[in-house]
Amino acid sequence: RFTEGPAVSDVGEVFFTDIPNNRIHRIDNEGEVSVFAENSGESNGLMFGPEGKLYACEGATGHVVRYTPNGRKQVFLRDIKGNDIVVLPDGSGYVTEPSANKVWHFTAEGNATVVDTGIEFPNGLITSPDQTALTVSDTRGRFCYSFRIASDGTLTHRQQYGWLHVTDQLQSGADGMAVDTEGRTYVTTALGLQVLDQPGRVHFIIRKPKNGWLSNVVF
């Protein structure tokens, strides 16, 4: 009913959430779709981390959980109503909480700290290919925001990034994002998939396949 959170495993399987139906689905390498998890807490954003664990932001419970490859669930971060998540190779990462205007940093051990509160509706987020910068989308604005990632996980040098094309309501509808090996950023928006070069200029927009909310993108 509402698909979100696409994430790719090490073996190329695609996982995605169906928030209203409370499920996480898996598409295997043959293209077959199956249910990976029922009663998923209205999970939204997903991303794989170390050891093949699948991290999920549960909107209903307000927790961030992670699944083992065989589907066993563990609560990882409590009392964060996360929307989207990015996990780094060392198990640390970032999660957005739009309803509280917060971006959180978390450690591999599960300690979480607020690292930004200045975005009206922080939604999708992604790191640069070298993982030295973090980009966060603002659904209600026309910019994304770029940060430098400090060695302790804090965020510095916050700046507007990417002048997105917007609707007549002057909102981008920016949601989930992906980045390619050349450093281009792909932002899902109300007008389609906007592709930004490294300096943040929109080079082109891929039209939406239908007139619905474009929620997320993954390679």
Side-chain angles (χ1 to χ4, degrees), residues 17 30 32 69 76 87-88 91 123 148 157 172 209:
T17 58
E30 305 302 319
E32 294 295 323
F76 178 59
V87 186
L88 303 180
N123 197 328
R148 298 294 291 179
H157 297 83
S172 63

Side-chain angles (χ1 to χ4, degrees), residues 206-218:
I206 301 172
R207 287 186 179 181
K208 296 190 292 185
K210 59 169 59 178
N211 187 26
W213 186 267
L214 200 62
S215 66
N216 218 322
V217 59
V218 75

Side-chain angles (χ1 to χ4, degrees), residues 24 36 47 49-58 63-69 71-77 85 87 91-92 106-110:
I24 299 174
F36 173 73
M47 183 168 275
E51 301 174 346
K53 291 181 178 178
L54 179 64
Y55 290 68
C57 300
E58 290 191 346
H63 301 325
V64 176
V65 302
R66 56 188 181 186
Y67 292 86
T68 62
R72 184 177 179 181
K73 183 168 73 171
Q74 170 196 22
V75 176
F76 178 59
L77 304 174
I85 187 169
V87 186
S92 66
F106 58 84
T107 66
E109 295 74 32

